Amino acid sequence: MNNQNSQPDPEQPNHQDSTADTQDFTLLNRYWDAANYLTVAQIYLQENALLQDPLKAEHIKPRLLGHWGTGPGLSLVYVHLNRLIRNTGAKVLFLAGPGHGGPAVIANLYLEGTYSEVYPRVDQNHDGLRELVRQFSTPGGIPSHVGPPTPGSIHEGGELGYSLAHATGAVLDNPELIVACVVGDGEAETGPLEGSWKAPAFINPARDGAVLPILHLNGHKISGPTVLGRQSDEQIEALLRAHGWDPVVVSGSDPELLHPQLAAALDDAHAKIVSIQQQAREHGVDGPAPWPAIILRTPKGLTGPAVVDGEKVEGTFRSHQVPLSGVRENPEHLAQLEAWMRSYAPETLFDATGRLLPELAALAPEGQLRMGANPAANGGANPVPLTLRPLENYALDVPAPGATKHETTKVLGEMLRDIYLDTQDDPRFRLFSPDETNSNRLGSVFEATDRCFMGTAHDGDDHLSPDGRVMEVLSEHLCQGWLEGYLLTGRHGFFATYEAFAMISASMTVQHAKWLQHARELEWRNPVPSLNILLTSTCWRNDHNGFSHQGPGLIDTVLSLASSVVRVYLPPDANTLLAVSDHVLRSEDYVNLVVVDKQNHPQYLNIDDARKHAAAGASIWHWAGNEAPAGDDGGKAAPDIILASAGDVPTEEILAASWLLQSWVPDLTVRVVNVVDLMVLAPGDAHPHGLSEKAFAELFTTDGEVIVAWHGYARAFHQLLHGRPHPGRFHVRGYSQQGTTTTPFDMVAVNGMSRYHLALNALDRVSGDFAGARELAEHCHGMLAKHESHIREHLEDLPEIRDWVWTPPQPPEGV
């Protein structure tokens, strides 16, 4: 191991009061040998899994893709957690944060028997062992990360940084669960993981489970040292203590000394967790709990080759992936691999049939106490759907379309408030938001609960208590990571954030969608509640915020993901938002993106019409157009122009454009279509919500010109239309990366999506001459010039724009 400043002697254990000091760890060490052996076998072998024959080049996989370096540490922790579970009956979930830790975790799942139960072809015999080694990182097999195919897992270790956030979310409202989260020191360098140490400020021992972080310092990343790996124990302890943890160091490379240390540390950690929870549940909480944490310092690639080709490997970055890379071509490497694998003495670990020896198999827990069989990792032990009250309780009265305005998201806050009230006796819902619950107009939830905070409350704090279940922390990564852990263990929630800053955690959204995509393909995986993301403070209405707060990019990100799991909704008003929210909160195995602004906006549909509109996904708003009803034969002429919108601000602008066209050019036939479920635009073979060709034509005709006012980047809308007949007839205006701190109407004007731009675009696309068209065009150009002058002088929008509401179109005075 590398020298460390102020490091304890790795050969000297940290003595702690524990039964571990007097135990014989011979069997446990052999079990660890079996796990390490199977880890190496998965990386290298395609045949001869137990080395019953001399190792030959043809036994080696043609492509060596695994990672060895983190494996021994993961297995060390796993086998010791098995011991803890057997001794205490603790319900433990295991999260492997280090990337590419898959072979070690799979090895332990196989040894405890859960892997064979889930995948009977990988049985506890020679044939099963052959399947085990052949499937790893091979076509048709399993990945090198701990992912959806891994029993007992809720965490994909490929993209580093999220393990501790997922662990924290898993224990919220899960009082019996302990999540042992191994954090790699490479992973510890990421921003999300660095932020995740704040968990003690939000975990309430009176009602939540416990997270046990195990910071594994093996000192190296793929090609260099880690920051924490080169720091002293005192420095790292100070870091964790500053965040509220009570850490202990376990350090060494000699198994005879390492096993008692780690066993003692886990015994003491469990005892502290039980004590903290008992105290809180009997006497209440008094500030953040000093939750235990373990700092485990072992050499990278421990028990692997010490030197290869004259260069040190064990304890260096060279052990990160495949320490012996030329095994098929280099006889010396092949011989060294065989010696390495035989050093674990597989003939003393498995019997003649290929089964783990009984005295070793007895070290694993039984039934659902096995970490691979913990129900929490498969949708929860007893998942219960949400019971939602009738939407009429929250619906707005809409006497006429567009005649009234309301803060659109406020009704959702009332709906979420009642979910909190209705789950008080069985908590299974939480709202997660980066310090923006009131800003997002969801503050009604504070009529039912508070913000969760374990720290000291000060005079002037608002709805703040340890018992609160609104999770606010100024980190999109933590909010979404906590929610993902909460959902994957069977509970429900919403993540509400500003639209532009959802891009901070966009990669998490991608990873979660990938998880759901693959989990859906596994029959043994139970469904889980959907990841519901509410984007407010949208690019169109930031008011006091500027260009930094303007960006609808998460829509583009989500549209690129698997159609089986992604849904995007843009409710035009509050009642439609209620209908959409009711749907997404009941749904399972989706990523639902709901985009709606929080400011005052016109309201168009009563609750019954909103339900129908949300269910249809897109509808013709006949009241907003001037098409004649169908004749007796059911036919009617196609409209001269079709105006379509998706999003609240675009809907207001497209309606105003329709009003202008009908008022100034009354002979022009206008149809207005509103889209709430964005995915209906895609062909049916591209997305399951895609409208049939007939239904699509009923909305947009087969060849009519369509002017679109769209919430996001135009390219995203065009992407959805690929494969539709004549997609070039759709002329999309959306956000074009223009913005600043300005008035609401100026935002649509500078992006070319104002009512005047839309009306001008429509006039350019209609066929034939229409009376009033030239006059309307002059009016639109004049209004845009007048607007620009007015806002610079008066610092607000023109009254005729600001105060406009939908009314039956009438010719303007003097026309």
Side-chain angles (χ1 to χ4, degrees), residues 492-795:
H492 309 258
F494 244 116
F495 168 40
T497 187
Y498 286 9
E499 181 181 45
F501 303 143
M503 291 302 292
I504 294 171
S505 55
S507 189
M508 296 186 79
T509 306
V510 172
Q511 296 298 331
H512 192 80
K514 289 181 177 182
W515 176 283
L516 294 177
Q517 177 186 349
H518 282 187
R520 279 170 161 264
E521 299 167 358
L522 300 168
E523 293 183 359
W524 61 270
R525 277 279 181 190
N526 293 326
V528 295
S530 296
L531 171 61
N532 301 315
I533 304 175
L534 175 69
L535 302 186
T536 63
S537 287
T538 65
C539 59
W540 300 108
R541 286 293 305 272
N542 290 152
D543 291 345
H544 62 278
N545 295 314
F547 197 34
S548 63
H549 285 59
Q550 296 160 4
L554 191 63
I555 295 174
D556 299 54
T557 299
V558 168
L559 290 181
S560 300
L561 303 177
S563 63
S564 60
V565 297
V566 296
R567 307 289 186 265
V568 182
Y569 300 97
L570 293 102
D573 64 0
N575 285 339
T576 312
L577 173 61
L578 287 172
V580 166
S581 299
D582 182 87
H583 170 71
V584 301
L585 285 167
R586 298 178 192 274
S587 70
E588 295 176 323
D589 287 344
Y590 294 133
V591 172
N592 294 310
L593 189 61
V594 182
V595 187
V596 64
D597 191 58
K598 65 189 181 183
Q599 308 285 6
N600 267 321
H601 289 280
Q603 303 298 312
Y604 308 108
L605 305 180
N606 62 41
I607 192 61
D608 288 336
D609 289 340
R611 279 197 184 97
K612 295 174 185 176
H613 183 46
S619 308
I620 298 174
W621 283 4
H622 294 285
W623 54 266
N626 61 357
E627 289 182 277
D632 294 338
D633 60 357
K636 61 179 178 180
D640 296 309
I641 195 71
I642 302 162
L643 305 181
S645 64
D648 40 27
V649 169
T651 294
E652 183 174 3
E653 293 306 306
I654 210 74
L655 288 172
S658 176
W659 185 88
L660 286 167
L661 290 167
Q662 293 179 63
S663 298
W664 287 79
V665 194
D667 293 336
L668 189 71
T669 306
V670 179
R671 174 184 295 181
V672 175
V673 176
N674 184 262
V675 178
V676 58
D677 179 354
L678 192 60
M679 312 317 276
V680 302
L681 298 172
D685 60 355
H687 196 280
H689 285 195
L691 295 174
S692 67
E693 288 190 16
K694 179 181 178 182
F696 190 84
E698 287 175 352
L699 290 176
F700 299 109
T701 72
T702 57
D703 56 3
E705 298 289 311
V706 185
I707 308 302
V708 181
W710 156 236
H711 178 89
Y713 297 112
R715 61 177 179 266
F717 202 95
H718 286 296
Q719 173 185 338
L720 287 166
L721 294 173
H722 180 73
R724 290 294 187 184
H726 312 297
R729 63 194 176 96
F730 287 80
H731 310 284
V732 182
R733 289 183 175 265
Y735 183 73
S736 57
Q737 207 64 28
Q738 300 297 318
T740 181
T741 303
T742 189
T743 67
F745 184 77
D746 195 50
M747 271 300 298
V748 295
V750 297
N751 284 280
M753 199 195 70
S754 77
R755 59 200 66 182
Y756 304 117
H757 290 94
L758 295 167
L760 287 167
N761 201 0
L763 294 175
D764 288 341
R765 298 295 173 179
V766 297
S767 300
D769 295 325
F770 290 89
R774 181 174 58 82
E775 291 80 5
L776 174 57
E778 293 174 353
H779 172 73
C780 290
H781 288 297
M783 288 301 296
L784 288 171
K786 182 180 178 181
H787 153 75
E788 187 172 355
S789 174
H790 180 88
I791 61 171
R792 279 156 178 74
E793 181 177 354
H794 299 282
L795 311 182

Side-chain angles (χ1 to χ4, degrees), residues 16 41 105 230 260 431 491 578 602 635 726:
Q16 303 175 49
V105 177
R230 293 291 171 90
L431 171 66
R491 282 75 57 74
L578 287 172
H726 312 297

Side-chain angles (χ1 to χ4, degrees), residues 397-434:
D397 181 30
V398 182
T404 59
K405 290 190 175 184
H406 196 274
E407 293 174 325
T408 301
T409 54
K410 188 174 181 180
V411 295
L412 176 59
E414 297 167 1
M415 181 182 185
L416 301 184
R417 172 202 62 203
D418 289 349
I419 294 175
Y420 273 114
L421 291 173
D422 294 341
T423 57
Q424 283 181 332
D425 296 334
D426 182 16
R428 60 187 186 278
F429 174 84
R430 293 207 188 194
L431 171 66
F432 300 78
S433 181

Side-chain angles (χ1 to χ4, degrees), residues 117-199:
E117 292 175 8
V118 174
Y119 301 107
R121 73 180 189 282
V122 190
D123 204 354
Q124 302 280 308
N125 54 35
H126 285 296
D127 289 341
L129 279 168
R130 182 178 184 272
E131 285 289 324
L132 180 74
V133 301
R134 285 181 62 87
Q135 70 175 3
F136 178 74
S137 284
T138 55
I142 61 173
S144 63
H145 302 114
V146 177
T150 311
S153 175
I154 64 165
H155 174 73
E156 158 70 70
E159 183 167 298
L160 300 179
Y162 312 141
S163 60
L164 195 51
H166 286 159
T168 302
V171 304
L172 300 177
D173 297 322
N174 221 341
E176 295 184 356
L177 186 67
I178 297 174
V179 179
C181 180
V182 181
V183 176
D185 48 355
E187 178 189 22
E189 296 179 0
T190 66
L193 198 289
E194 187 71 43
S196 295
W197 294 116
K198 298 178 180 66

